[in-house]
PDB file of all heavy atoms in Angstrom:
ATOM      1  N   PRO A 259     -13.803  14.150   6.650  1.00 86.00           N
ATOM      2  CA  PRO A 259     -15.244  13.755   7.083  1.00 86.00           C
ATOM      3  C   PRO A 259     -15.585  12.340   6.667  1.00 86.00           C
ATOM      4  O   PRO A 259     -16.445  11.698   7.249  1.00 86.00           O
ATOM      5  CB  PRO A 259     -16.082  14.786   6.372  1.00 86.00           C
ATOM      6  CG  PRO A 259     -15.278  15.348   5.289  1.00 86.00           C
ATOM      7  CD  PRO A 259     -13.883  15.359   5.765  1.00 86.00           C
ATOM      8  N   GLU A 260     -14.910  11.730   5.674  1.00 79.00           N
ATOM      9  CA  GLU A 260     -15.190  10.438   5.212  1.00 79.00           C
ATOM     10  C   GLU A 260     -14.755   9.325   6.233  1.00 79.00           C
ATOM     11  O   GLU A 260     -15.268   8.208   6.229  1.00 79.00           O
ATOM     12  CB  GLU A 260     -14.538  10.095   3.885  1.00 79.00           C
ATOM     13  CG  GLU A 260     -15.171  10.826   2.682  1.00 79.00           C
ATOM     14  CD  GLU A 260     -14.716  12.273   2.595  1.00 79.00           C
ATOM     15  OE1 GLU A 260     -13.815  12.673   3.324  1.00 79.00           O
ATOM     16  OE2 GLU A 260     -15.265  13.014   1.773  1.00 79.00           O
ATOM     17  N   GLY A 261     -13.814   9.707   7.117  1.00 76.00           N
ATOM     18  CA  GLY A 261     -13.405   8.686   8.136  1.00 76.00           C
ATOM     19  C   GLY A 261     -12.765   7.510   7.484  1.00 76.00           C
ATOM     20  O   GLY A 261     -12.090   7.537   6.457  1.00 76.00           O
ATOM     21  N   TRP A 262     -13.120   6.296   8.079  1.00 70.00           N
ATOM     22  CA  TRP A 262     -12.467   5.075   7.621  1.00 70.00           C
ATOM     23  C   TRP A 262     -13.222   4.521   6.346  1.00 70.00           C
ATOM     24  O   TRP A 262     -12.871   3.442   5.855  1.00 70.00           O
ATOM     25  CB  TRP A 262     -12.505   4.020   8.681  1.00 70.00           C
ATOM     26  CG  TRP A 262     -11.282   4.143   9.578  1.00 70.00           C
ATOM     27  CD1 TRP A 262     -11.302   4.607  10.852  1.00 70.00           C
ATOM     28  CD2 TRP A 262      -9.939   3.840   9.241  1.00 70.00           C
ATOM     29  NE1 TRP A 262     -10.028   4.586  11.342  1.00 70.00           N
ATOM     30  CE2 TRP A 262      -9.186   4.160  10.365  1.00 70.00           C
ATOM     31  CE3 TRP A 262      -9.359   3.361   8.101  1.00 70.00           C
ATOM     32  CZ2 TRP A 262      -7.811   3.967  10.441  1.00 70.00           C
ATOM     33  CZ3 TRP A 262      -7.947   3.173   8.110  1.00 70.00           C
ATOM     34  CH2 TRP A 262      -7.202   3.469   9.328  1.00 70.00           C
ATOM     35  N   TYR A 263     -14.184   5.302   5.811  1.00 74.00           N
ATOM     36  CA  TYR A 263     -14.703   4.955   4.471  1.00 74.00           C
ATOM     37  C   TYR A 263     -13.837   5.487   3.384  1.00 74.00           C
ATOM     38  O   TYR A 263     -13.979   5.197   2.207  1.00 74.00           O
ATOM     39  CB  TYR A 263     -16.085   5.566   4.294  1.00 74.00           C
ATOM     40  CG  TYR A 263     -17.214   4.851   5.068  1.00 74.00           C
ATOM     41  CD1 TYR A 263     -17.727   5.406   6.203  1.00 74.00           C
ATOM     42  CD2 TYR A 263     -17.652   3.650   4.634  1.00 74.00           C
ATOM     43  CE1 TYR A 263     -18.695   4.744   6.984  1.00 74.00           C
ATOM     44  CE2 TYR A 263     -18.656   2.923   5.381  1.00 74.00           C
ATOM     45  CZ  TYR A 263     -19.151   3.479   6.536  1.00 74.00           C
ATOM     46  OH  TYR A 263     -20.082   2.832   7.261  1.00 74.00           O
ATOM     47  N   LEU A 264     -12.825   6.290   3.746  1.00 80.00           N
ATOM     48  CA  LEU A 264     -11.896   6.878   2.796  1.00 80.00           C
ATOM     49  C   LEU A 264     -11.154   5.842   1.973  1.00 80.00           C
ATOM     50  O   LEU A 264     -10.982   5.999   0.715  1.00 80.00           O
ATOM     51  CB  LEU A 264     -10.920   7.822   3.455  1.00 80.00           C
ATOM     52  CG  LEU A 264     -10.122   8.764   2.546  1.00 80.00           C
ATOM     53  CD1 LEU A 264     -10.998   9.684   1.768  1.00 80.00           C
ATOM     54  CD2 LEU A 264      -9.171   9.590   3.445  1.00 80.00           C
ATOM     55  N   PRO A 265     -10.622   4.718   2.555  1.00 75.00           N
ATOM     56  CA  PRO A 265      -9.987   3.714   1.715  1.00 75.00           C
ATOM     57  C   PRO A 265     -10.830   3.140   0.625  1.00 75.00           C
ATOM     58  O   PRO A 265     -10.338   2.867  -0.494  1.00 75.00           O
ATOM     59  CB  PRO A 265      -9.587   2.648   2.715  1.00 75.00           C
ATOM     60  CG  PRO A 265      -9.533   3.347   4.074  1.00 75.00           C
ATOM     61  CD  PRO A 265     -10.546   4.433   4.017  1.00 75.00           C
ATOM     62  N   SER A 266     -12.093   2.948   0.880  1.00 71.00           N
ATOM     63  CA  SER A 266     -12.993   2.402  -0.175  1.00 71.00           C
ATOM     64  C   SER A 266     -13.207   3.443  -1.273  1.00 71.00           C
ATOM     65  O   SER A 266     -13.252   3.094  -2.437  1.00 71.00           O
ATOM     66  CB  SER A 266     -14.338   2.026   0.440  1.00 71.00           C
ATOM     67  OG  SER A 266     -15.024   3.150   1.021  1.00 71.00           O
ATOM     68  N   TYR A 267     -13.275   4.722  -0.940  1.00 79.00           N
ATOM     69  CA  TYR A 267     -13.367   5.776  -1.969  1.00 79.00           C
ATOM     70  C   TYR A 267     -12.086   5.722  -2.829  1.00 79.00           C
ATOM     71  O   TYR A 267     -12.085   5.832  -4.065  1.00 79.00           O
ATOM     72  CB  TYR A 267     -13.491   7.144  -1.320  1.00 79.00           C
ATOM     73  CG  TYR A 267     -14.883   7.485  -0.858  1.00 79.00           C
ATOM     74  CD1 TYR A 267     -15.152   7.402   0.518  1.00 79.00           C
ATOM     75  CD2 TYR A 267     -15.843   7.897  -1.735  1.00 79.00           C
ATOM     76  CE1 TYR A 267     -16.484   7.709   0.925  1.00 79.00           C
ATOM     77  CE2 TYR A 267     -17.160   8.172  -1.309  1.00 79.00           C
ATOM     78  CZ  TYR A 267     -17.390   8.090   0.058  1.00 79.00           C
ATOM     79  OH  TYR A 267     -18.673   8.394   0.496  1.00 79.00           O
ATOM     80  N   LEU A 268     -10.916   5.573  -2.200  1.00 83.00           N
ATOM     81  CA  LEU A 268      -9.618   5.569  -2.902  1.00 83.00           C
ATOM     82  C   LEU A 268      -9.571   4.398  -3.826  1.00 83.00           C
ATOM     83  O   LEU A 268      -9.085   4.501  -4.970  1.00 83.00           O
ATOM     84  CB  LEU A 268      -8.457   5.520  -1.892  1.00 83.00           C
ATOM     85  CG  LEU A 268      -7.745   6.809  -1.644  1.00 83.00           C
ATOM     86  CD1 LEU A 268      -8.713   7.852  -1.035  1.00 83.00           C
ATOM     87  CD2 LEU A 268      -6.573   6.609  -0.697  1.00 83.00           C
ATOM     88  N   THR A 269     -10.110   3.206  -3.382  1.00 76.00           N
ATOM     89  CA  THR A 269     -10.023   2.051  -4.196  1.00 76.00           C
ATOM     90  C   THR A 269     -10.874   2.256  -5.505  1.00 76.00           C
ATOM     91  O   THR A 269     -10.399   1.911  -6.603  1.00 76.00           O
ATOM     92  CB  THR A 269     -10.623   0.802  -3.460  1.00 76.00           C
ATOM     93  OG1 THR A 269      -9.877   0.622  -2.251  1.00 76.00           O
ATOM     94  CG2 THR A 269     -10.556  -0.409  -4.271  1.00 76.00           C
ATOM     95  N   VAL A 270     -12.020   2.824  -5.373  1.00 78.00           N
ATOM     96  CA  VAL A 270     -12.843   3.076  -6.550  1.00 78.00           C
ATOM     97  C   VAL A 270     -12.229   4.095  -7.460  1.00 78.00           C
ATOM     98  O   VAL A 270     -12.222   3.928  -8.735  1.00 78.00           O
ATOM     99  CB  VAL A 270     -14.289   3.578  -6.118  1.00 78.00           C
ATOM    100  CG1 VAL A 270     -15.125   3.937  -7.336  1.00 78.00           C
ATOM    101  CG2 VAL A 270     -15.041   2.442  -5.307  1.00 78.00           C
ATOM    102  N   ILE A 271     -11.664   5.197  -6.908  1.00 85.00           N
ATOM    103  CA  ILE A 271     -11.063   6.246  -7.762  1.00 85.00           C
ATOM    104  C   ILE A 271      -9.861   5.695  -8.511  1.00 85.00           C
ATOM    105  O   ILE A 271      -9.719   6.006  -9.678  1.00 85.00           O
ATOM    106  CB  ILE A 271     -10.653   7.426  -6.835  1.00 85.00           C
ATOM    107  CG1 ILE A 271     -11.948   8.082  -6.327  1.00 85.00           C
ATOM    108  CG2 ILE A 271      -9.768   8.422  -7.610  1.00 85.00           C
ATOM    109  CD1 ILE A 271     -11.678   9.183  -5.340  1.00 85.00           C
ATOM    110  N   ILE A 272      -9.029   4.880  -7.870  1.00 84.00           N
ATOM    111  CA  ILE A 272      -7.843   4.314  -8.489  1.00 84.00           C
ATOM    112  C   ILE A 272      -8.238   3.432  -9.651  1.00 84.00           C
ATOM    113  O   ILE A 272      -7.600   3.465 -10.727  1.00 84.00           O
ATOM    114  CB  ILE A 272      -6.987   3.549  -7.451  1.00 84.00           C
ATOM    115  CG1 ILE A 272      -6.335   4.537  -6.462  1.00 84.00           C
ATOM    116  CG2 ILE A 272      -5.871   2.778  -8.153  1.00 84.00           C
ATOM    117  CD1 ILE A 272      -5.714   3.907  -5.310  1.00 84.00           C
ATOM    118  N   GLN A 273      -9.320   2.634  -9.516  1.00 78.00           N
ATOM    119  CA  GLN A 273      -9.776   1.783 -10.599  1.00 78.00           C
ATOM    120  C   GLN A 273     -10.368   2.602 -11.742  1.00 78.00           C
ATOM    121  O   GLN A 273     -10.176   2.237 -12.897  1.00 78.00           O
ATOM    122  CB  GLN A 273     -10.714   0.784 -10.094  1.00 78.00           C
ATOM    123  CG  GLN A 273     -10.241  -0.129  -8.944  1.00 78.00           C
ATOM    124  CD  GLN A 273      -8.761  -0.586  -9.237  1.00 78.00           C
ATOM    125  OE1 GLN A 273      -8.445  -1.000 -10.344  1.00 78.00           O
ATOM    126  NE2 GLN A 273      -7.936  -0.484  -8.215  1.00 78.00           N
ATOM    127  N   LEU A 274     -11.057   3.704 -11.401  1.00 83.00           N
ATOM    128  CA  LEU A 274     -11.562   4.579 -12.493  1.00 83.00           C
ATOM    129  C   LEU A 274     -10.391   5.207 -13.311  1.00 83.00           C
ATOM    130  O   LEU A 274     -10.563   5.490 -14.489  1.00 83.00           O
ATOM    131  CB  LEU A 274     -12.402   5.729 -11.862  1.00 83.00           C
ATOM    132  CG  LEU A 274     -13.768   5.304 -11.273  1.00 83.00           C
ATOM    133  CD1 LEU A 274     -14.421   6.482 -10.660  1.00 83.00           C
ATOM    134  CD2 LEU A 274     -14.656   4.697 -12.411  1.00 83.00           C
ATOM    135  N   ALA A 275      -9.287   5.382 -12.633  1.00 88.00           N
ATOM    136  CA  ALA A 275      -8.116   6.018 -13.317  1.00 88.00           C
ATOM    137  C   ALA A 275      -7.469   5.045 -14.393  1.00 88.00           C
ATOM    138  O   ALA A 275      -6.644   5.450 -15.115  1.00 88.00           O
ATOM    139  CB  ALA A 275      -7.102   6.413 -12.338  1.00 88.00           C
ATOM    140  N   ASN A 276      -7.912   3.780 -14.364  1.00 84.00           N
ATOM    141  CA  ASN A 276      -7.463   2.868 -15.400  1.00 84.00           C
ATOM    142  C   ASN A 276      -7.884   3.242 -16.806  1.00 84.00           C
ATOM    143  O   ASN A 276      -7.480   2.563 -17.760  1.00 84.00           O
ATOM    144  CB  ASN A 276      -7.908   1.459 -15.084  1.00 84.00           C
ATOM    145  CG  ASN A 276      -6.982   0.769 -14.008  1.00 84.00           C
ATOM    146  OD1 ASN A 276      -5.808   0.591 -14.259  1.00 84.00           O
ATOM    147  ND2 ASN A 276      -7.614   0.357 -12.931  1.00 84.00           N
ATOM    148  N   ILE A 277      -8.723   4.246 -16.938  1.00 86.00           N
ATOM    149  CA  ILE A 277      -9.086   4.736 -18.205  1.00 86.00           C
ATOM    150  C   ILE A 277      -7.822   5.256 -18.944  1.00 86.00           C
ATOM    151  O   ILE A 277      -7.711   5.186 -20.188  1.00 86.00           O
ATOM    152  CB  ILE A 277     -10.110   5.909 -18.139  1.00 86.00           C
ATOM    153  CG1 ILE A 277     -10.608   6.350 -19.492  1.00 86.00           C
ATOM    154  CG2 ILE A 277      -9.548   7.111 -17.341  1.00 86.00           C
ATOM    155  CD1 ILE A 277     -11.425   5.317 -20.194  1.00 86.00           C
ATOM    156  N   GLY A 278      -6.808   5.739 -18.225  1.00 87.00           N
ATOM    157  CA  GLY A 278      -5.577   6.187 -18.833  1.00 87.00           C
ATOM    158  C   GLY A 278      -4.765   5.100 -19.535  1.00 87.00           C
ATOM    159  O   GLY A 278      -4.555   5.179 -20.727  1.00 87.00           O
ATOM    160  N   PRO A 279      -4.385   4.036 -18.849  1.00 86.00           N
ATOM    161  CA  PRO A 279      -3.656   2.924 -19.534  1.00 86.00           C
ATOM    162  C   PRO A 279      -4.540   2.212 -20.586  1.00 86.00           C
ATOM    163  O   PRO A 279      -3.977   1.746 -21.565  1.00 86.00           O
ATOM    164  CB  PRO A 279      -3.327   1.979 -18.373  1.00 86.00           C
ATOM    165  CG  PRO A 279      -4.153   2.362 -17.255  1.00 86.00           C
ATOM    166  CD  PRO A 279      -4.414   3.818 -17.422  1.00 86.00           C
TER     167      PRO A 279
END
Side-chain angles (χ1 to χ4, degrees):
E260 288 80 8
W262 276 107
Y263 287 104
L264 193 60
S266 61
Y267 283 101
L268 259 61
T269 303
V270 174
I271 290 173
I272 292 172
Q273 302 318 314
L274 290 176
N276 277 301
I277 186 67

